[in-house]
Amino acid sequence: MAATRTLFAFLIVILRTLTAFASAEGTDNIGGILVVGSLNADTFLPVTRLPVEGENLTVPPGRAVEIDVPGGKGCNQAVACARLCAGANPVSFLGQFGNDAAATTLRKALTDAGVDVSQCGTCADVPSGRGYVFLQEESGKVSAVVVGGSNVEGWSDWKQESDTGITTEYIDSLLQDKSCVLLQREIPEYVNYAIAKRASALGVTILQDMGGEDRPMDEDMLRLCDYVIPNASELHRLCATLGEDLSTAYNRDGGTAHIVNCAHLLQKHGANNVLVTLGASGSVLVDKDGKTITVQPSCQLPSQSSVIDETGAGDCFRAAFAVAHTEGKSIHEAMRFASAAGALAVTKKGAVPSIPDRQVVEDLFGDSSGSAGEAVSVPRGGANDGDIDKCPHIFGSRLNSMKDRPELWPGPLNDVRDWVQRQGKIRGLGCVDFNYPQHFHTWTNAEAKAALDEVGLIAGAVCLRYPTKFARGAMNHPDPVLRREAVKLTMQAAQVARDLGCNEVVVWSAYDGYDYPFQVSYNDKWQQLVEAFQECCDAYPDIKFSLEFKPTDENTRFFTVPSTGAALLLVKDIDRPNMGLTLDVGHMLMAGESPGQSIAMVGDKLFGIQLNDGYTRLAAEDGMMFGSIHPSQALEAIYQLQQIKGGFKGHFYFDTFPQRTDPIKEAEFNIQQVKRFWRAAKKMNGMGIRKVMDEHDAIKALSIIEEVLRQ
């Protein structure tokens, strides 16, 4: 049998080599995907809750038990890869079928999806793997007991390379023309190691899903894997098996910082890129350099969808990441694509039946090409706690506020460098928004970046603050020379953003507007803004330009763009993909708007959000702590942010004025306040708020608001 397999492998290599030579000219094919793993026939047992020790539970009356549903991590991921590739790349599967009728069902599920199973084995004396899945129908949560069967006992030829076992040539034939290989831990470790060793030698990217048997991983295997992909509990257990004391990774702020610290423990033992999935809270990637950390929020499901069964979501995420990686997508795009696929996989029962096809994922993902910076990167050291289990966004706070209450700060507060040092002490803060040009009179862009690195923060955005020479208007100045200068200044801010490593310029002009009737030509002023922003967007296509409107101010009684509706019209007229809006809660309140409605109107053109509160007195911008005056509107604002198709991609910025409070404590309060509202808003769909809105039932709506804020 071994000799026959060796000869077959040799012929395969020769045939593929000849085919490659024959088709080399004019081809631009990307390689295929090899999935090596398990196949299970799953039985789904619907339950109201899990049994406790010593307890027998019965399936509720009228609930159907589903038997022999195709599953197993390898099968799930192979089918997902094939559906998501949509025929563009070949997907092959290597696994072991059992000797029972379930094997026929499993083979058909793979071949129907277009997966090549020609290299799979069949065990004559061992049945297929089995999974017994306890599905809690109310929440969609699953727990399972897995029987290995042929997945465990069908690999005897792989135990070592010898004259009677698997040869290097055979493994190389499996990897021929492959871009990546996807491994799991429901098959023996020696199989994964043999595949990984040859894949690494051949330059094939190795993705190791840590799901499956809870067992140690050899450091040599860790080093071979390009991506190690655990969920949070698998990450903790793997660290423990490597002898790490997890208390050293504990961070008082929890969340992302703790996940990043655990990933660093793995990297100490040789791991390269560590991609941690966090269910409904998204995912975190710690790059092999140990410094670049990418946080991807989970994709929001379409409004008509709900969580039915989480069984295959993790497998679908990993498969989608493999597909995106093979297609050459950036890390940001790959994580977004995987997030969309994983989210859709929870909307149907069963692992394989729930796998979405390519078009459905792209519809949720948005433009499949994505755009740079749509995931949020945070610096090493976990400066942003992000509370990833609750709120996936990083936080920034008004830098000028660090000048307030100097008696509470032991060091100097003489310049921007000192203010950055003070912001670095705010627990949970992740980024700094700089004002331009005011914050760049005394240092270079490189020095500002170094100051951020020193305190473990990143740049969130660069915010335009036009000097007083533009008191008669910036982009709206009557003098065309000064209008050109304002445009030039805006482009300079974009270059600063590039140099700092962020991709957003927020434009708020204190001066573009008028005070009296007949003072300006409204149409001319509007067109000046359109043309100015078009020029900026075209000159810096990698930078997002974000207009922050304000209805009135002591400098300008009526702004050219005085409302969310007007701002949306301007964005439409500018007609550039990198032009959007930043909404300030205080400004919306001043304009007599409902912040939640304004956020819903803007949708995916919302590049930034500035959180605060106020008493809404005429022309007064109070800059109070978020949710302190209008808690129900604050809750609705957060809820609407969660409903944005594809997810809100920006960071949360606190534009508050702590003249009489401790600036550090105020920022920390704002962060905790947003987390509280985020948790509350997340619960509302499950409490029937959409039905309440459909029925216009104010009493029920207020009751739900009261309940979620009380929890």
Side-chain angles (χ1 to χ4, degrees), residues 416-417 420 432 434-454 457-459 461-462 489-502 505 540:
V416 184
R417 191 186 306 272
V420 170
V432 175
F434 287 105
N435 290 348
Y436 185 82
Q438 287 83 356
H439 291 162
F440 289 87
H441 293 316
T442 60
W443 60 0
T444 65
N445 300 348
E447 289 172 332
K449 180 68 166 62
L452 292 175
D453 292 340
E454 183 180 344
L457 298 172
I458 62 171
V462 174
L489 194 67
T490 308
M491 292 185 185
Q492 289 171 355
Q495 186 59 51
V496 173
R498 275 183 182 171
D499 294 345
L500 294 179
C502 62
V505 171
Y540 286 84

Side-chain angles (χ1 to χ4, degrees), residues 48 51 63 124 127 154 182 196 198 217 228 308 348 373 487 490 505 515 539 543 583 591 622 652 667-668:
T48 55
R63 298 293 193 275
L182 186 52
R198 293 307 305 155
M217 176 173 277
V228 174
I308 302 298
K348 295 180 182 178
V487 172
T490 308
V505 171
D515 299 323
I543 299 296
L583 294 181
D622 298 315
F652 288 159
E668 291 175 348

Side-chain angles (χ1 to χ4, degrees), residues 599-612:
I599 291 168
M601 287 168 56
V602 176
D604 60 5
K605 277 297 185 179
L606 185 65
F607 290 174
I609 186 74
Q610 298 189 355
L611 302 176
N612 47 42

